[in-house]
């Protein structure tokens, strides 16, 4: 089992940047396919980005492509989400998630992910 803890959220003005971190416990972080999801008030949780076990493959939702960058440091058991050019519509609780299956397939589906963090709030003011 792995525990995930997000950090780095906060309040930022539109056009600003934030970097989220997801720290994982355990010794098998490098074997997990990882993802970021977000949930805005009154809406369903949506996929944001995913990264393969080695970090070579990444995939983004169209809404964040070109603005957000997902990365991971397996030596530090940590995944990141660099968010630039933030918009008010990016306001949400951001969750990191881990999949025990490393195959690069349907990485945008919540059902792929077994372990979830508690979330970190990101608020973008206009």
């Amino acid at each position: 089992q792995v525990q995930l803890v997000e950090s780095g959220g906060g309040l930022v003005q539109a056009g600003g940047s934030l970097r989220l971190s997801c720290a994982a416990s355990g010794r098998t972080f490098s074997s997990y396919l990882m993802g970021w999801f977000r949930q805005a008030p009154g809406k369903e949780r949506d996929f944001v980005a995913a990264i393969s076990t080695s970090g070579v493959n990444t995939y983004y939702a169209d809404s964040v492509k070109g603005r957000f960058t997902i990365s991971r440091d397996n030596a530090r058991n940590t995944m990141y989400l660099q968010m630039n050019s933030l918009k008010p519509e990016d306001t949400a609780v951001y969750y990191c998630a881990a999949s025990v299956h490393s195959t690069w397939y349907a990485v945008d589906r919540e059902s792929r992910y077994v372990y979830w963090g508690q979330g970190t709030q990101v608020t973008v003011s206009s």
Side-chain angles (χ1 to χ4, degrees), residues 8-85:
L11 174 64
V12 64
Q13 289 188 331
S17 298
L18 282 175
R19 188 175 83 154
L20 305 183
S21 298
C22 173
S25 65
R27 296 176 294 176
T28 58
F29 174 76
S30 61
S31 68
Y32 294 119
L33 184 154
M34 299 294 295
W36 286 100
F37 289 76
R38 67 185 181 185
Q39 187 168 22
K43 296 188 177 181
E44 294 184 350
R45 189 156 56 186
D46 291 330
F47 169 77
V48 175
I51 189 166
S52 61
T53 55
S54 65
V56 170
N57 295 314
T58 58
Y59 182 68
Y60 298 92
D62 288 343
S63 58
V64 306
K65 201 173 296 182
R67 300 187 298 122
F68 291 10
T69 302
I70 189 172
S71 62
R72 66 190 297 163
D73 184 341
N74 287 341
R76 296 178 182 271
N77 282 10
T78 304
M79 176 179 65
Y80 305 97
L81 186 68
Q82 177 66 43
M83 306 186 295
N84 299 329
S85 302

Side-chain angles (χ1 to χ4, degrees), residues 1 4 9 12 32-33 41 58 60 67 87 91 93 96 102-103 106 114 119:
Q1 188 167 350
L4 304 173
V12 64
Y32 294 119
L33 184 154
T58 58
Y60 298 92
R67 300 187 298 122
K87 305 175 182 179
T91 295
V93 177
C96 66
S102 61
T103 52
V114 177

